[in-house]
């Protein structure tokens, strides 16, 4: 490969950041300023692309330190890593949190998604707009800096709406919860660093996954061990890899990311590959609107995830794990980095874990603002330094995954369930919940309930009781968004649904990532569905036609439907039929789950008559 | 002592895997293992629409117009990318298949200027009764100004269906130049150089292999573009002459497309074993010397245009 670079040079600050991460270039061919004697004799051509996966971390470093990625910075990264500049540009422009045009060092992302907009978000945006003008406007602040703001999709703080995420170049990013306009203004003008307090999840009898959250110091490995930590890993080592997988099989554990796939099947498939390397990925890119459970675990009990991943790596024979965490989770990111470092120092991560002769380490990668990267194959492309576009399946990741190798991908909640499975045995675990939905589940209660938060309850609790548990009034429910934007609305008549995989499936629903967003009698569901349509239009990766164009057409048709009113001269019927046709092609012909589910919530709202009763199309 | 080089014997060919037996539209079909469903359909003379597919590139499986229904699969599958499996039961003309194909053609037709697309794409649009107009006049499109930043080709991304072919041909599947990429996301995703610089400032080597694979005329020879703009492009009167490129000894075959005794574009046959349809800048654009023009750098197209006008030809609406 003969790469061509432009003459654009990085600034000294950009160069320092990039070289600080990637190491100083040792040749003009990789971007060194001085030609070495060796360079006069040897041209480094045919560069290996081994370092391609450092592309996203390099962009992250520059974006975080400088506030945007200039052409000079991009060229310097590309020289260092041997990546064609056009490809790198294609990657940078894929992500919402990366900017390839100059932007102010302070950028406030104000959530206007379904979990915030009806619950204080609209008022917050009006307040911010009054102070700073329309979104995207650059404002000079009194301390000589500049700032801007944007509307944002869900940032996973729905229990503390309205929320914001502040990208602050050169200093730590911040999360703002239950945000007043004054606080948003203070962060944008530099007079407050922002920050969200730790949270104690609602205490429910029988909590297992959340029992340490808000109780045990998440930064202290000894405190974690005193609270029972690392007993599961020791038990795993006693059992050996095969029997660990047996226990997971006996537990009946299903994935908690949305697809509800039996965990042991993936583990066995990867372990069965004769040759390594094999990889383990923890999908912590929790981006489904209304979801905040994985964040709660990672912020409140980070060692639990590290331990669970170590067990999974041991069981499937992976020596390298990755945590792919969404970029809008700075607190969880810092806690996990701290926990990984402490575990490494204590010999519980790295070479020869616990002196037991096996190696396992974890690399943490930050997502940069792309919902699609929660799709497992898109996530793998993102780690590898490519655009976060899903891959065609088959082949499945258990055969051809990260870097083309067998890979287990589990989400955070799925993985931490491995701890109780080993502590008490798979059979005992399977006695909790129902036959097909074992164990407890984390549900993200938000919206019109008195005490929003993450609730850990036994699988099988009915929806009505869960809403009551969170201080909601079932009689006042007009609709519940179940499973997030990729899920579906259910109406007041569906509140007796038992919250299990099998009951949801037979009702044509999914529990998804455990979202239970409650809408009261005054909720504007036309507004909520419009936002969901915009969400998918924004978040489609753009690779396949049904999703890239279909999500745009759904948004347009829904707008016409709501504007016309369902009874107006058959217009409502026409638009509704169009939405159904679009939903069908997206479900049938899209590459990945984003397209498959992009129309379901809107269709369910139409079917339930939540947007006005219309005639059922012929 | 003789030192004849030892000529290694050709290793025996691996045994052919047994053929795969599947059912397509009720007919049992036996095809070699590793065949794609699309190839299997073609063997059965089943006309299957394709947009992002190319015989000379890996399937991107992005347009989804070639989907078929496979029994047991929750969703439809792209026939271009899916390999046959023993016992597969495939429907290529079910209601679901027809619906998805119609919708894909409609979604593209309502958002992209398809007026230079090949005649078979227009035939498919009719066959599947696609009606792009039903999305209304306010339907969002990818309309944008054409980019004309060099003498050899122009890019009009109002015509781009984002099929990835040009990017793959520029990158590791053919040219290994990596001048262009898909940038942005979602509906805004489009083909671009880094920071949208002009092609001349990018890594582009002007091989024109992106033009050769573009199915909709989003990237086009300047000569063809100018003739089309004037309504003078007329494939019916063009002669195509196959020859061998004279610039070097590789032996690339060229197809010279000649209108009014002037070369208006150069292609290479996709089934040619040397080129697979790809060329370099010399073979693709270095043809003026054969035309004996007074000023080969500037006049050939003016010449064609003048000849076409003089002939009184009206190419009619360009397509």
């Amino acid at each position: 490969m003969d790469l061509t670079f432009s003459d654009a040079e990085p600034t000294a600050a950009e160069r320092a950041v990039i070289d600080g991460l990637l190491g100083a270039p040792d040749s003009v061919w990789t971007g060194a300023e001085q030609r070495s004697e060796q360079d006069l004799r040897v041209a480094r051509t045919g560069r290996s692309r081994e370092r391609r996966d450092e592309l996203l971390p390099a962009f992250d470093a520059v974006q975080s330190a400088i506030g945007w990625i200039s052409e000079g910075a991009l060229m310097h990264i590309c020289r260092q890593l041997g990546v064609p500049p056009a490809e790198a540009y294609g990657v940078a422009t894929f992500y919402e949190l990366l900017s390839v045009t100059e932007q102010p060092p302070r950028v406030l992302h104000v959530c206007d998604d379904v979990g915030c907009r009806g619950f204080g978000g609209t008022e917050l945006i009006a307040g911010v707009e009054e102070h700073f003008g329309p979104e995207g406007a650059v404002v000079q602040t009194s301390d000589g800096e500049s700032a801007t703001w944007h509307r944002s999709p869900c940032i996973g703080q729905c229990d503390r709406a309205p929320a914001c995420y502040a990208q602050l170049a050169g200093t730590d990013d911040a999360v703002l919860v239950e945000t007043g306009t004054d606080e948003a203004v203070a962060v944008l003008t530099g007079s407050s660093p922002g920050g969200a307090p730790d949270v104690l999840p609602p205490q429910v009898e029988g909590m297992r996954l959340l029992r340490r959250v808000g109780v045990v110091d998440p930064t202290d490995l000894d405190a974690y061990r005193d609270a029972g930590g690392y007993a599961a890993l020791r038990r795993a080592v006693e059992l050996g890899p095969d029997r660990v997988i047996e226990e997971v099989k006996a537990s009946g554990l299903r994935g908690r990311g949305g697809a509800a796939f039996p965990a042991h099947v993936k583990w066995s498939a990867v372990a069965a590959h004769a040759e390594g390397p094999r990889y383990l990925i923890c999908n912590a890119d929790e981006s489904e609107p209304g979801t905040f459970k994985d964040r709660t675990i990672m912020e409140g009990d980070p060692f639990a995830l590290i331990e669970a991943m170590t067990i999974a790596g041991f069981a499937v024979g992976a020596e390298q794990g990755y945590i792919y965490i969404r970029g809008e989770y700075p607190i969880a990111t810092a806690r996990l980095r701290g926990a990984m470092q402490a575990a490494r120092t204590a010999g519980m991560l790295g070479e020869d874990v616990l002196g037991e002769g096996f190696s396992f380490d974890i690399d943490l990668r930050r997502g940069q603002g792309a919902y699609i990267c929660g799709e497992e194959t898109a996530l793998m492309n993102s780690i590898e330094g490519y655009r976060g576009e899903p891959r065609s399946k088959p082949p499945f990741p258990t055969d051809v995954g990260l870097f083309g190798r067998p890979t287990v991908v589990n989400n955070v909640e799925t993985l931490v369930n491995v701890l109780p499975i080993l502590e008490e045995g798979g059979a005992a675990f399977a006695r909790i919940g129902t036959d097909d939905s074992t164990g407890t589940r984390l549900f993200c209660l938000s919206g019109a309930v008195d005490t929003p938060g993450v609730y850990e309850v036994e699988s099988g609790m009915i929806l009505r009781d869960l809403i009551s548990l969170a201080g909601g009034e079932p009689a006042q429910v007009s609709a519940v968004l179940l499973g997030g934007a990729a899920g579906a609305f259910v109406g007041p008549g569906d509140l007796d649904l038992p919250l299990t995989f099998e009951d949801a499936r037979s009702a044509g629903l999914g529990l998804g990532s455990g979202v239970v967003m409650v809408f009261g009698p005054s909720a504007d569901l036309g507004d909520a569905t419009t936002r969901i349509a915009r969400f998918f239009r924004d978040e489609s990766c753009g690779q396949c036609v049904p999703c890239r164009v279909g999500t745009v057409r759904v948004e347009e048709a829904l707008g016409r439907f709501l504007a016309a009113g369902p009874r107006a001269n058959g217009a409502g019927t026409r638009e509704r039929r169009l939405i159904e046709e679009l939903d069908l092609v997206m479900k049938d012909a899209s590459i990945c789950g984003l397209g498959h589910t992009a129309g379901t919530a809107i269709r369910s709202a139409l079917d339930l008559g939540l947007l006005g009763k219309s005639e059922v199309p012929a | 002592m003789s030192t004849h080089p030892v000529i290694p014997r050709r290793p025996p060919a691996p045994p052919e895997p047994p053929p795969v037996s599947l059912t397509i539209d009720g007919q049992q079909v036996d095809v070699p293992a590793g065949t794609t469903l699309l190839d299997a359909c073609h063997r059965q003379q089943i006309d299957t629409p394709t947009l992002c597919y190319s015989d000379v590139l890996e399937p991107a499986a992005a347009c989804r117009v070639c989907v078929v229904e496979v029994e047991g699969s929750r969703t439809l599958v792209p026939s271009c990318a899916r390999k046959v499996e023993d016992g597969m039961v495939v429907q290529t003309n079910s209601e679901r298949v027809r619906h998805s194909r119609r919708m894909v053609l409609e979604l593209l037709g309502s958002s992209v200027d398809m007026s230079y697309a090949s005649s078979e794409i227009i035939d498919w649009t009719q066959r599947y009764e696609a009606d792009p107009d039903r999305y209304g006049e306010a339907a969002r499109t990818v309309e944008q100004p054409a980019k004309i930043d060099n003498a050899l080709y122009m890019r009009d991304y109002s015509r781009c269906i984002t099929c990835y072919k040009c990017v793959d041909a520029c990158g590791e599947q053919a040219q290994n130049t990596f001048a262009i990429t898909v940038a942005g996301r979602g509906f805004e995703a489009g083909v671009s150089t880094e920071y949208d610089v002009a092609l001349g400032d990018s890594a582009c080597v002007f091989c024109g292999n992106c033009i050769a694979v573009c199915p909709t005329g989003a990237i086009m020879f300047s000569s063809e573009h100018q003739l089309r703009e004037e309504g003078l492009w007329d494939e019916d009167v063009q002669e195509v002459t196959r020859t061998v490129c004279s610039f070097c000894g590789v032996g690339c075959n060229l197809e010279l497309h000649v209108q009014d005794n002037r070369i208006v574009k150069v292609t290479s046959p996709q089934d040619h074993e040397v080129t697979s349809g790809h060329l370099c800048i010399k073979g693709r654009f270095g043809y003026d010397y054969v035309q004996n023009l007074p000023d080969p750098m500037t006049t050939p197209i003016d010449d064609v245009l003048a000849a076409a006008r003089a002939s009184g030809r009206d190419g009619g609406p360009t397509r």
Side-chain angles (χ1 to χ4, degrees), chain A residues 308-614:
Chain A
M309 287 182 70
T310 310
I311 294 168
F314 173 70
V316 305
E319 296 194 347
Q320 182 66 52
Y322 289 87
I323 299 173
Y324 187 91
I325 187 169
R326 76 175 298 192
E328 294 89 339
Y329 281 177
I331 300 166
T333 301
R335 295 264 165 89
L336 284 169
R337 283 192 169 135
M340 281 157 52
Q341 194 48 51
R344 246 179 239 126
T345 305
M348 293 168 143
L349 210 53
E351 283 180 26
D352 196 16
V353 174
L354 294 173
E356 295 287 347
F358 75 96
S359 298
F360 181 74
D361 211 335
I362 299 173
D363 200 347
L364 182 143
R365 298 297 174 93
R366 278 186 73 200
Q368 296 296 328
Y371 169 73
I372 186 57
C373 289
E375 199 279 339
E376 57 183 6
T377 59
L379 188 160
M380 293 187 292
N381 275 345
S382 182
I383 291 180
E384 291 181 21
Y386 293 89
R387 290 164 57 79
E389 294 173 350
R391 303 172 182 172
S392 285
K393 292 190 274 194
F396 293 94
T398 46
D399 295 322
V400 182
L402 186 66
F403 305 116
R405 301 299 311 163
T407 304
V408 168
V409 187
N410 284 140
N411 102 326
V412 174
E413 184 188 347
T414 313
L415 283 164
V416 294
N417 265 296
V418 171
L419 303 182
I421 288 170
L422 285 167
E423 285 159 4
E424 66 203 28
F429 183 95
R431 284 194 286 275
I432 303 165
T434 66
D435 286 351
D436 253 356
S437 298
T438 56
T440 56
R441 270 212 71 149
L442 303 183
F443 289 98
C444 309
L445 272 288
S446 64
V449 292
D450 283 348
T451 318
V454 182
Y455 286 76
E456 181 179 359
V457 299
E458 197 166 333
S459 293
M461 179 179 268
I462 65 169
L463 181 55
R464 178 190 310 280
D465 292 346
L466 183 60
I467 292 170
S468 298
L469 192 62
E473 180 48 68
Q476 294 291 306
V477 168
S478 64
V480 178
L481 182 59
L482 200 60
F489 286 96
V490 297
D494 301 311
L495 297 185
D496 290 321
L497 177 78
L499 296 168
T500 68
F501 156 74
E502 60 275 16
D503 290 289
R505 188 176 58 177
S506 58
L509 299 163
L511 300 181
S513 49
V515 172
V516 178
M517 191 179 288
V518 181
F519 293 86
S522 60
D524 183 349
L525 293 168
D527 178 72
T529 46
T530 301
R531 182 65 184 89
I532 289 171
R534 180 154 63 87
F535 176 81
F536 284 109
R537 183 259 282 163
D538 282 343
E539 298 296 338
S540 168
C541 79
Q543 189 181 192
C544 71
V545 174
C547 179
R548 179 179 75 232
V549 190
T551 52
V552 173
R553 296 290 178 255
V554 167
E555 186 189 23
E556 292 169 350
L558 181 65
R560 291 193 297 265
F561 176 90
L562 293 170
R567 290 179 193 280
N569 298 326
T573 306
R574 192 172 64 238
E575 301 304 341
R576 186 173 165 187
R577 185 181 296 137
L578 187 55
I579 290 170
E580 290 179 358
E581 288 186 30
L582 290 162
D583 178 46
L584 183 59
V585 69
M586 291 194 293
K587 263 194 178 59
D588 262 352
S590 298
I591 292 175
C592 80
L594 188 152
H596 298 157
T597 56
T600 53
I602 293 158
R603 271 200 72 173
S604 67
L606 289 166
D607 291 347
L608 289 166
L610 298 176
L611 309 180
K613 304 268 188 261
S614 68

Side-chain angles (χ1 to χ4, degrees), chain A residues 111-433:
Chain A
C111 178
D112 80 332
D113 214 324
V114 279
C116 278
R117 60 192 292 122
F119 306 94
T122 305
E123 293 76 12
L124 173 62
I125 282 178
V128 172
E129 195 157 25
E130 194 177 315
H131 271 82
F132 291 100
E135 68 176 321
V138 176
V139 176
Q140 301 303 317
T141 55
S142 53
D143 62 348
E145 288 287 8
S146 60
T148 189
W149 73 280
H150 295 285
R151 287 178 171 82
S152 164
C154 179
I155 54 173
Q157 306 284 348
C158 324
D159 50 341
R160 299 184 284 180
C164 307
Y165 168 62
Q167 257 184 311
L168 305 170
T171 173
D172 290 342
D173 291 350
V175 169
L176 285 64
V177 296
E178 295 170 0
T179 321
T181 303
D182 292 347
E183 188 190 359
V185 170
V187 169
L188 273 178
T189 52
S191 59
S192 161
D198 278 347
V199 71
L200 178 70
Q203 300 295 297
V204 179
E205 202 178 326
M207 288 201 316
R208 294 130 59 86
L209 306 178
L210 298 180
R211 69 180 197 273
R212 283 183 289 257
V213 175
V215 178
V216 176
D217 182 354
T219 64
D220 184 351
L221 176 57
D222 289 333
Y224 176 70
R225 281 194 284 206
D226 291 345
Y230 279 101
L233 178 59
R234 291 190 189 280
R235 177 70 183 145
V237 171
E238 264 170 49
L239 291 173
D242 294 347
R243 286 187 58 201
V244 170
I245 297 179
E246 287 292 310
E247 292 297 328
V248 173
K249 184 178 182 183
S251 75
L253 176 66
R254 287 181 181 276
R256 305 293 203 238
F261 194 75
H264 77 91
V265 177
K266 287 185 187 176
W267 288 29
S268 310
V270 169
H273 279 273
E275 287 185 23
R278 308 172 193 87
Y279 294 106
L280 168 72
I281 296 175
C282 170
N283 184 347
D285 194 46
E286 177 174 77
S287 310
E288 184 64 50
T291 314
F292 44 91
K293 63 188 176 70
D294 291 347
R295 173 181 59 76
T296 304
I297 294 173
M298 293 187 287
E299 289 180 0
D301 199 7
F303 288 104
L305 180 59
I306 306 300
E307 183 187 357
M309 287 182 70
T310 310
I311 294 168
F314 173 70
V316 305
E319 296 194 347
Q320 182 66 52
Y322 289 87
I323 299 173
Y324 187 91
I325 187 169
R326 76 175 298 192
E328 294 89 339
Y329 281 177
I331 300 166
T333 301
R335 295 264 165 89
L336 284 169
R337 283 192 169 135
M340 281 157 52
Q341 194 48 51
R344 246 179 239 126
T345 305
M348 293 168 143
L349 210 53
E351 283 180 26
D352 196 16
V353 174
L354 294 173
E356 295 287 347
F358 75 96
S359 298
F360 181 74
D361 211 335
I362 299 173
D363 200 347
L364 182 143
R365 298 297 174 93
R366 278 186 73 200
Q368 296 296 328
Y371 169 73
I372 186 57
C373 289
E375 199 279 339
E376 57 183 6
T377 59
L379 188 160
M380 293 187 292
N381 275 345
S382 182
I383 291 180
E384 291 181 21
Y386 293 89
R387 290 164 57 79
E389 294 173 350
R391 303 172 182 172
S392 285
K393 292 190 274 194
F396 293 94
T398 46
D399 295 322
V400 182
L402 186 66
F403 305 116
R405 301 299 311 163
T407 304
V408 168
V409 187
N410 284 140
N411 102 326
V412 174
E413 184 188 347
T414 313
L415 283 164
V416 294
N417 265 296
V418 171
L419 303 182
I421 288 170
L422 285 167
E423 285 159 4
E424 66 203 28
F429 183 95
R431 284 194 286 275
I432 303 165

Side-chain angles (χ1 to χ4, degrees), chain B residues 260-281:
Chain B
D260 293 318
N261 212 27
R262 293 286 176 243
I263 297 168
V264 290
K265 78 172 172 184
V266 177
T267 57
S268 182
Q270 285 198 348
D271 59 1
H272 180 46
E273 63 178 354
V274 174
T275 68
S276 295
H278 307 304
L279 291 170
C280 76
I281 184 173

Side-chain angles (χ1 to χ4, degrees), chain B residues 17 22 108 161 172 241 251-252 278 282:
Chain B
L22 70 160
L108 287 176
I161 60 169
E172 63 189 6
T241 303
C252 298
H278 307 304
K282 290 174 285 186

Side-chain angles (χ1 to χ4, degrees), chain A residues 1-35:
Chain A
M1 183 172 28
D2 178 23
L3 297 183
T4 304
F5 303 102
S6 81
D7 295 334
E9 290 289 333
T11 64
E14 289 166 344
R15 183 183 287 275
V17 170
I18 296 164
D19 293 353
L21 183 77
L22 303 179
D26 56 4
S27 154
V28 288
W29 303 102
T30 55
E33 288 170 295
Q34 296 294 318
R35 197 180 276 275

Side-chain angles (χ1 to χ4, degrees), chain B residues 14 16 25 34 54 81 111 132 152 185-186 192 206 219 239 252 285 293:
Chain B
E16 288 266 316
D25 294 343
S54 159
S111 56
L152 299 181
R185 191 172 76 196
S192 177
F206 294 94
I219 310 183
E239 276 184 61
C252 298
F285 293 104
L293 295 166

